[in-house]
Each structure stands twice: as structure tokens, then as C-alpha cells.
Amino acid sequence: RRLNHLGQFRVYTRQSTTYVEPMNDDCDMDGAWEAMKKVFGVVGLSRARSCEKDKDAILACAKEFLDDQLRAARTFKVETKRADKTFPMTSIQLSQYVGGELHEAYDNLEVDVHHPELTVYVELSYYSVYVHTQPQPGEVREDAAYVHGPAESAAGGLPLGMGGSALSLLSGGIDSPVASWMIAKRGVALDMVHFFSYPYTSLEAKEKVLELARLLTPWTGRLTVHVVPFTAIQEELRRSCPEELFTVIMRRFMMRIAQEVARRCGAKALVTGECLGQVASQTMDAMLVTGAVVDLPILRPVVGMDKEEIVQIARKIGTFETSILPYEDCCTVFTPRHPRLRPLPGEVEFAEEKLDIQALIQAAVDSIERVQV
């Protein structure tokens, strides 16, 4: 799916290695490279060139394909993986041959088998397909070898879906997109929920959140954002609840609604961007009270991180610049002057007795807008 818009590719796995190969010359190989770097479960990527399964053809391929790297390095070695045991040379013999010839051909190179600057990899697959096709595209060959340099780091983590599914509370800030990304990296498929308080928050603020979701899709795949109208609940809390408890009661409503949305979409956990001690609603006491209203597990992947650590990840995944756009989300609406840092469960429950909790939740859930990104 990640490659569909970049051309026709053959994707297959042989002996724990996945091969992504173009079917014709129209494929965007640079785009495919960038797309594959964002697929969770892929630890490393290598650009490879195929050639005949012959020692001199392999040597010529290494000289052509890795010439720039060979000229830039001072030390090197050759490693061979020989899945095809019918090849007349052992792995060590082929490595010695290719390494010896490269040493002769490049005056700047010295052999260092322990700590080389450059490792040249040769793979003799039992089944293979052309990377740069000369015959008809997709022709299968059993006499091809691959030559490549060191792998580059990719997304890592686990393939999406292996960790189950969860619902992430997505605000317009820095933390929640990072939390969503971190949980997706553990193989968790996500839906998103966003609480929208129009007209106290603007339509631009809503579009900002949808853009954050779009920026996550290269990592997470397609997303559904459940946009919850939250204005009526916040106005009722302002009328009926003590000001110092407003934020914690508001977050309890968010958790209740999120759990209802999660059950409707089959999610098994909730994900938040809460970071311990960062704001008044993220003290240990406050998180205990807000989490007490749901039965689903609450995953808080950034809970122990410093803000700068979160910002570094936000920059890496491309969400930071959007997150800092000056459009406020619903958490900034009716912010109390002196929020309670250590709310007690009993006093919060007493304050909620004036509210028709189920009616407020039902009205919000019934009016959810679902946006596919």
C-alpha cells in the first residue's frame, strides 16, 4: 500500500529478507526508499544491485555500484551470505576474492575485518528477481546475486496490527502526536479522537489537528479521526462545577467519551500524551482521578520524558512545525486560575453529582464527525 502511488513493485520475502523491486522504469525508487523507511517492523534498508551469479560479474557490480563509497573509505571488508550452496565457492572464498580484487583496484583501501569504515555485502540468493531488469520486467532468475553497502536505519518497532488496536486522544499540541507515533511503533493500529469546542476554538484549530493526523499517516497508514463536539459539556461544567476542578472533570469526560468511541471501533486501549508533572492535570493525583472513570488500559508513552526529548521526536516525525501553530485546542478553554494539583476522588465525584453525565456523553457521541485521512 505504501508503494502503490510510486509505481509497480514486486515485494517478496526470502530467508528473513524482504525485497522491494521495480517492475518497470517508471517506478520512483527514491520515493520507495523514503516510504519504506517509515514502515514499522523494518529495522534496516539497503539499496542493492543485482548481477549474474558469477565471481567476476559480482566484482564488476561492486566496482560500479559502490564506486563512490569505495573511493571515500580508508578501510573495508567483504561479507558474503551464500544461501545457494551450489555456488562453487564458499562464502569465505568469494569474500576473499572480491576483497582482494577491490584492494588491488583502489589504492586508498586497506583491509580491516574488525572495524572497517565500509562493508561490502554480497548475497547469493537461491531465488531472485532482477532489480534493474534487462529482460522482460519481473522475469524470475535463479542465477542472480545482490551487492550492497551497509544498511541504513529504518523505523524499527513492530508491524502495525501485531500489538492490537487503540484509540489515541489527539490534541493540537506537541505531545499527543508523538505519543501516537510511539504506540504505533509497537505494532498498534490506531484510531484518533479529537475534542472540538467551536466557537471557543476555531475551525483552523480543527484543521491543524487533521493535518497532524495526515502527517502521521506515512507511519500509521490510514486513520479515522473521530471529532467530538465538546462545547456543550464545557459550558455545563463552567456553570455547575467548582472552577479549581474544571480541568480534571473535563478530562474525566474526555476519557469516558474516548472509551465509548474505542468500544465502537474495537480498540482495546486508550493512548494519551500525558507527561508527568508537565501541567496541573498531569500530576500523579490528577491522572489517578481522570483514569478512574474508564476500564480500558491507558497507555502514556511519553509520561516519563522531558519536553526536549518529546520535541526531538516531533521534529523527527515531522509534526513539530504544525503542532506549534498558534491555534488553541479545547484544553485551553475556561482554564481555571488556580487548578487543583492534587484532586481527591471523593471531592471530584461529589462535584459531578450535579451533572447528567450519561446524557452529556450520549449527546456528544451521537454528534461525532468521522474524518478519514
Side-chain angles (χ1 to χ4, degrees):
R1 289 200 300 270
R2 306 290 178 87
L3 297 171
N4 280 344
H5 68 290
L6 300 168
Q8 288 186 304
F9 292 85
R10 181 189 299 272
V11 182
Y12 63 96
T13 300
R14 294 283 185 269
Q15 298 172 332
S16 300
T17 299
T18 297
Y19 297 83
V20 178
E21 302 180 338
M23 299 291 287
N24 53 55
D25 293 335
D26 295 331
C27 294
D28 180 356
M29 294 302 295
D30 291 334
W33 176 261
E34 292 302 319
M36 290 298 96
K37 289 177 74 172
K38 295 179 174 65
V39 176
F40 290 126
V42 178
V43 177
L45 294 169
S46 299
R47 289 180 182 263
R49 178 71 60 84
S50 70
C51 62
E52 298 293 329
K53 202 178 288 184
D54 170 82
K55 65 176 186 177
D56 293 317
I58 292 170
L59 174 61
C61 182
K63 289 180 178 178
E64 177 188 356
F65 186 54
L66 300 176
D67 182 67
D68 290 344
Q69 296 180 60
L70 289 165
R71 292 185 185 279
R74 290 174 297 177
T75 60
F76 84 112
K77 71 173 180 178
V78 178
E79 286 190 7
T80 301
K81 294 182 181 180
R82 188 177 67 118
D84 181 3
K85 304 304 181 184
T86 65
F87 190 76
M89 303 172 74
T90 66
S91 297
I92 293 176
Q93 289 172 336
L94 183 56
S95 293
Q96 290 173 338
Y97 171 75
V98 174
E101 294 296 321
L102 291 176
H103 187 219
E104 289 291 326
Y106 292 87
D107 295 337
N108 56 297
L109 287 177
E110 293 295 332
V111 175
D112 183 347
V113 297
H114 298 295
H115 304 288
E117 289 184 17
L118 173 66
T119 301
V120 176
Y121 294 93
V122 177
E123 297 188 24
L124 304 175
S125 300
Y126 189 72
Y127 295 106
S128 190
V129 183
Y130 272 104
V131 174
H132 297 283
T133 57
Q134 295 299 325
Q136 292 299 314
E139 179 182 345
V140 178
R141 296 176 55 90
E142 297 184 9
D143 60 346
Y146 287 98
V147 176
H148 62 87
E152 290 190 20
S153 296
L158 298 174
L160 287 173
M162 288 189 65
S165 60
L167 180 75
S168 185
L169 282 71
L170 185 65
S171 72
I174 298 171
D175 302 340
S176 60
V178 171
S180 301
W181 179 85
M182 292 177 69
I183 289 298
K185 186 176 181 179
R186 300 314 304 159
V188 177
L190 293 176
D191 274 54
M192 303 291 189
V193 61
H194 173 66
F195 296 89
F196 182 50
S197 296
Y198 184 81
Y200 300 107
T201 55
S202 65
L203 293 174
E204 288 83 1
K206 175 183 171 183
E207 287 304 316
K208 171 185 171 180
V209 170
L210 295 178
E211 178 60 21
L212 287 172
R214 292 186 190 99
L215 292 171
L216 288 171
T217 57
W219 308 90
T220 63
R222 292 166 291 191
L223 290 172
T224 300
V225 182
H226 304 261
V227 181
V228 179
F230 206 53
T231 307
I233 290 176
Q234 289 188 295
E235 290 178 337
E236 181 61 28
L237 298 187
R238 182 176 62 170
R239 286 192 294 268
S240 305
C241 298
E243 180 187 1
E244 66 272 16
L245 296 177
F246 177 88
T247 300
V248 69
I249 294 175
M250 177 190 73
R251 291 194 63 81
R252 280 162 67 92
F253 270 89
M254 288 180 173
M255 301 304 286
R256 292 179 177 114
I257 292 170
Q259 177 164 268
E260 181 61 29
V261 174
R263 286 173 173 164
R264 294 187 179 196
C265 63
K268 299 298 192 299
L270 303 178
V271 182
T272 77
E274 292 168 299
C275 179
L276 186 61
Q278 184 166 248
V279 294
S281 64
Q282 294 175 14
T283 64
M284 196 172 295
D285 300 86
M287 286 193 284
L288 172 65
V289 172
T290 57
V293 296
V294 296
D295 301 320
L296 291 177
I298 303 172
L299 309 179
R300 300 179 173 98
V302 303
V303 70
M305 298 173 68
D306 289 336
K307 192 66 174 186
E308 185 54 38
E309 294 174 296
I310 300 171
V311 167
Q312 287 177 4
I313 296 176
R315 292 185 186 278
K316 170 186 173 180
I317 65 177
T319 58
F320 178 76
E321 295 299 330
T322 300
S323 290
I324 62 173
L325 292 174
Y327 302 119
E328 296 180 334
D329 60 32
C330 71
C331 294
T332 62
V333 177
F334 310 140
T335 303
R337 289 165 294 179
H338 304 289
R340 186 71 59 83
L341 298 181
R342 294 177 177 82
L344 299 173
E347 66 175 338
V348 175
E349 291 167 2
F350 177 76
E352 289 180 335
E353 288 181 357
K354 300 177 182 179
L355 306 171
D356 190 341
I357 294 174
Q358 290 306 314
L360 290 169
I361 291 174
Q362 192 63 50
V365 170
D366 288 343
S367 301
I368 285 176
E369 175 191 5
R370 293 172 178 83
V371 181
Q372 303 287 334
V373 298

